[in-house]
Amino acid sequence: MNKQKRAEIFARLKAENPNPTTELEYNTPFELLIAVVLSAQATDVSVNKATRKLYPVANTPEAIYALGVEGLKEYIKTIGLFNSKAENVIKTCKILIDQHNSEVPQTREALEALPGVGRKTANVVLNTAFRQPAMAVDTHIFRVSNRTNIAPGKNVLEVEHKLMKHVPKEYLMDAHHWLILHGRYICTARKPRCGACVISDLCEFKEKVLD
């Protein structure tokens, strides 16, 4: 895929959705961090349902840490893997209190040192909360990047590096959100909605579904 075609793809995605953002509900970098940790192998909808009850009660490292693992579980037990997530969140709150003055760190290294925070979670926080150019490659972005040929790769790291290299600079900050939303609602896993796709004529997928 050439440079001009990539630029046109992102120009169209931007025209359709000028200000894309995460579907996770949050008001502070800390709330976003916890929501992203909770969202691993779970839907944003299920996380939002839980945090709507949790955050009015506890939305700081101190307040969530004070709940303890068992107390936190009561709020997040509807989310998949809630047992291990509760333990990770409590440990993360302790580290933020002890080492970061209760603030969410703004570097990848410090974020990835937190329990339950991997590269993808760190990238979401860096990009969405702190507006740093970063690409959190989830299953949707991996699929769209390979299927369209925007940034094909055998694994998420390869796709991430290719996106960071090939997405035009003026679109890099929001590219993560455009791609994830496109994968979630249009370029779906089982049957892509090519007939409703604004980039269908630019996409290099051979088996388009146009009905």
Side-chain angles (χ1 to χ4, degrees), residues 100-184:
H100 299 287
N101 201 26
S102 297
E103 297 289 331
V104 177
Q106 298 189 33
T107 67
R108 180 193 308 285
E109 296 71 25
L111 284 166
E112 286 189 32
L114 300 171
V117 177
R119 185 179 183 88
K120 186 175 76 174
T121 299
N123 280 341
V124 173
V125 174
L126 291 172
N127 178 252
T128 307
F130 300 125
R131 302 302 286 156
Q132 296 182 26
M135 199 68 63
V137 179
D138 69 346
T139 53
H140 297 301
I141 295 178
F142 185 77
R143 179 176 65 255
V144 171
S145 298
N146 275 288
R147 192 184 268 167
T148 60
N149 215 28
I150 290 172
K154 294 184 182 69
N155 56 58
V156 292
L157 198 57
E158 194 178 337
V159 169
E160 179 188 326
H161 288 154
K162 282 193 178 178
L163 285 168
M164 292 300 290
K165 180 181 177 184
H166 292 307
V167 173
K169 277 203 171 63
E170 65 266 37
Y171 302 114
L172 196 55
M173 197 65 80
D174 292 315
H176 157 252
H177 294 305
W178 282 316
L179 292 172
I180 198 170
L181 293 169
H182 192 68
R184 188 172 286 165

Side-chain angles (χ1 to χ4, degrees), residues 64-118:
I64 290 183
Y65 185 70
L67 290 175
V69 173
E70 294 307 316
L72 179 57
K73 281 183 190 178
E74 285 304 306
Y75 289 95
I76 66 168
K77 60 188 177 186
T78 52
I79 301 172
L81 309 175
F82 73 92
N83 284 311
S84 58
K85 288 176 181 177
E87 291 185 15
N88 282 335
V89 167
I90 294 299
K91 287 176 187 168
T92 284
C93 288
K94 184 81 170 94
I95 292 170
L96 292 178
I97 294 164
D98 291 348
Q99 298 177 23
H100 299 287
N101 201 26
S102 297
E103 297 289 331
V104 177
Q106 298 189 33
T107 67
R108 180 193 308 285
E109 296 71 25
L111 284 166
E112 286 189 32
L114 300 171
V117 177

